Amino acid sequence: MRKNGTTFLFLLFAGLFLGGQIEAQINYRNLPEFPAFKLKDTKGTVFSTTAVLKKDKPTVLIYFSPTCHHCQTQTTDITSNIKLFKDVQFLFVTSYPPQDYQPFLNEYAIEKFSNITFGYDSSYAMVRFLELESLPGVFVYNKDHQFKVNFNTNIRTKNLYSAIFE
C-alpha cells in the first residue's frame, strides 16, 4: 500500500511539473494564430478574443497599463492617426481592474472608434501567453490572423504602419 501511495505522489508531482512546463511553452511564438482568450468588456460581459476579429483584416493587440506613460503615448498616436489605420483592428487589453482602467478609457475614448475593442484580462492569461517584458506590449497579426512581430514598448506610427502592411 505504501508503494502505491509513493507512486501516486510521484505521478501527481510529475504531472504538475510537466503540466506547468507544457503550459509555459505555449506562447505567441509557437502558437502563430491569434490567441483565443476570454476577456470582459466594460460591462463585465465575457467575450472571446477571436469572436471580435474580422476576417481579412490585420490585428494589433496592445497590452497596456492605464498608468503607463508609454501606453498613453501609444494610445494617443494610434487614435490621432486612426484614419491611417482604418483597415486595421485593434484590441486593447489590460489586467488592471475597472477602477484603474476606467479613467484611461474616459480620457482616451478608445471605445468610440469602430476598429478598437477593449478587453479586461482579469485572469492574467494573456500576460503569460504574451510573455510581456514591458508595456505597452504591441503584437501585430496579419490579415490571416497569423503572428508577424511584437514590440516591447511603444512604436512610432509610421513604424507600426510598416510592420502591419509590409
Side-chain angles (χ1 to χ4, degrees):
M1 186 123 166
R2 182 174 174 159
K3 185 176 183 181
N4 287 344
T6 304
T7 302
F8 172 77
L9 285 175
F10 172 77
L11 291 174
L12 176 66
F13 286 119
L16 289 173
F17 175 76
L18 291 175
Q21 293 297 314
I22 291 168
E23 180 180 321
Q25 292 175 4
I26 299 174
N27 59 48
Y28 72 94
R29 288 184 203 97
N30 58 25
L31 182 64
E33 298 85 25
F34 193 89
F37 286 101
K38 300 288 184 194
L39 300 176
K40 295 178 183 175
D41 64 16
T42 56
K43 295 178 179 92
T45 304
V46 176
F47 68 92
S48 171
T49 53
T50 54
V52 298
L53 299 181
K54 293 176 179 63
K55 293 183 182 192
D56 298 325
K57 284 203 175 208
T59 300
V60 177
L61 168 63
I62 299 181
Y63 210 100
F64 73 99
S65 161
T67 60
C68 163
H69 176 69
H70 292 288
C71 301
Q72 295 164 358
T73 300
Q74 186 72 70
T75 303
T76 299
D77 287 349
I78 289 169
T79 56
S80 297
N81 294 287
I82 201 69
K83 288 180 182 177
L84 186 64
F85 297 111
K86 68 181 186 317
D87 294 323
V88 178
Q89 51 194 346
F90 289 91
L91 180 59
F92 277 72
V93 179
T94 189
S95 56
Y96 282 74
Q99 65 268 20
D100 292 335
Y101 72 65
Q102 198 57 58
F104 178 93
L105 296 181
N106 292 341
E107 182 171 347
Y108 296 97
I110 62 172
E111 292 183 301
K112 78 176 186 178
F113 300 100
S114 62
N115 60 333
I116 299 178
T117 302
F118 167 78
Y120 171 43
D121 179 23
S122 60
S123 69
Y124 299 93
M126 288 189 81
V127 169
R128 291 186 296 274
F129 176 80
L130 298 171
E131 298 179 341
L132 290 173
E133 296 174 16
S134 63
L135 294 172
V138 180
F139 296 80
V140 177
Y141 289 80
N142 67 20
K143 66 182 182 68
D144 297 318
H145 303 155
Q146 299 292 308
F147 174 73
K148 282 183 76 175
V149 66
N150 77 300
F151 303 94
N152 288 313
T153 188
N154 54 336
I155 177 173
R156 293 178 186 249
T157 302
K158 68 178 183 174
N159 296 339
L160 179 58
Y161 185 86
S162 295
I164 295 168
F165 292 108
E166 289 180 359

